[in-house]
């Protein structure tokens, strides 16, 4: 498995960065900027994010922010990319540790993992995987679709589940529903409002 840098391997390989970090120090500087952005949107939501606020929070100059990011939207997209990567790693870790024996258990493990990100990953509950950013035209597919495909691949490889286009669409619909309900659960609660968490859990249990 390749070494995972503190910032994000996926981000480093994307076209979002003006300057890709090649040394440990620059990588840590980029990580600090992303962490600062995550902390700000955790407190105030992503609409309140500014490059100046990120620079101040990270203890960096505004020039350092612009060395890596063209503007605040690119910075948000970069943070969403890191969120997506961390979600993938959390997904793999959860399944490897809990080793679900059935399809239903695999779906429950995935839900618990995603709920954990809302509770523990700074800024995640506001930005999530980035699909909330209304940037058009979309290049490629949505991250909700990519998440459905990731789960579908796991189910196909480990639970002999036949993955069709129709099933992937159903899985994406469920993911979008769960994502929206969990986002609502954490609007005014650090631990999440239980009624919305319960609704999200019920929505996650698709029939395969």
């Amino acid at each position: 498995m390749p070494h995972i840098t503190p910032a994000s391997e996926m981000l480093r390989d994307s076209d979002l960065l003006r300057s890709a970090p090649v040394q440990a120090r620059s990588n840590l500087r980029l990580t600090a900027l992303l962490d600062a952005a995550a902390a700000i949107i955790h407190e105030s939501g992503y609409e309140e994010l500014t490059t100046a606020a990120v620079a101040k929070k990270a203890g960096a100059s505004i020039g350092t922010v612009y060395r890596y990011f063209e503007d605040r939207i690119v910075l948000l997209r970069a943070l969403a990319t890191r969120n997506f990567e961390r979600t993938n790693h959390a997904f793999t870790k959860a399944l490897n540790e809990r080793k679900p024996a059935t399809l239903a258990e695999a779906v429950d493990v995935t839900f618990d993992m995603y709920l954990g990100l809302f509770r523990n990953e700074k800024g995640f509950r506001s930005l999530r995987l980035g699909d909330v950013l209304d940037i058009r035209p979309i290049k490629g597919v949505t991250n909700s679709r990519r998440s459905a495909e990731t789960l579908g691949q796991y189910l196909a490889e480990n639970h002999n589940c036949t993955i069709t286009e129709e099933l992937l669409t159903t899985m994406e619909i469920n993911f979008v529903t769960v994502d929206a309900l969990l986002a609502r659960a954490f609007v005014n609660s650090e631990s999440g409002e239980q009624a919305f968490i319960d609704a999200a859990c019920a929505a996650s249990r698709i029939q395969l």
Side-chain angles (χ1 to χ4, degrees), residues 88-163:
N88 278 349
H89 288 307
F91 172 76
T92 301
K93 182 182 180 195
L95 292 171
N96 286 339
E97 289 180 349
R98 293 177 59 177
K99 295 180 172 58
T102 67
L103 291 172
E105 287 178 13
V107 171
D108 284 346
V109 168
T110 302
F111 176 80
D112 290 344
M113 173 277 298
Y114 202 60
L115 175 60
L117 290 171
F118 274 82
R119 285 182 168 154
N120 303 313
E121 183 74 20
K122 286 289 187 182
F124 190 88
R125 62 188 61 167
S126 175
L127 185 60
R128 285 101 81 196
L129 304 184
D131 286 349
V132 291
L133 299 173
D134 191 5
I135 301 170
R136 306 185 188 207
I138 296 174
K139 295 181 180 179
V141 299
T142 62
N143 280 336
S144 60
R145 177 67 178 201
R146 294 168 69 191
S147 296
E149 290 172 350
T150 298
L151 177 58
Q153 181 178 355
Y154 168 82
L155 295 178
E157 293 175 352
N158 295 275
H159 295 280
N160 297 317
C161 183
T162 301
I163 304 301

Side-chain angles (χ1 to χ4, degrees), residues 1-13 21 24 27-28 31 34 81-93:
M1 183 175 182
H3 174 66
I4 301 169
T5 63
S8 164
E9 288 280 0
M10 189 176 290
L11 176 59
R12 188 179 64 181
D13 295 336
N27 190 64
L28 290 173
T31 300
L34 292 171
T81 298
R82 188 176 77 167
N83 284 352
F84 184 83
E85 182 179 66
R86 289 186 173 183
T87 300
N88 278 349
H89 288 307
F91 172 76
T92 301
K93 182 182 180 195

Side-chain angles (χ1 to χ4, degrees), residues 16 24 29 63 129 163 172 179 181 201:
L16 293 172
R29 188 179 299 120
L129 304 184
I163 304 301
E172 183 181 6
D179 184 69
L181 287 167
C201 184

Side-chain angles (χ1 to χ4, degrees), residues 26 75 82 105 107 113-114 172-174 184 197 207:
S26 58
L75 200 164
R82 188 176 77 167
E105 287 178 13
V107 171
M113 173 277 298
Y114 202 60
E172 183 181 6
I173 290 170
N174 279 67
R184 172 58 184 84
I197 293 174
Q207 297 299 314

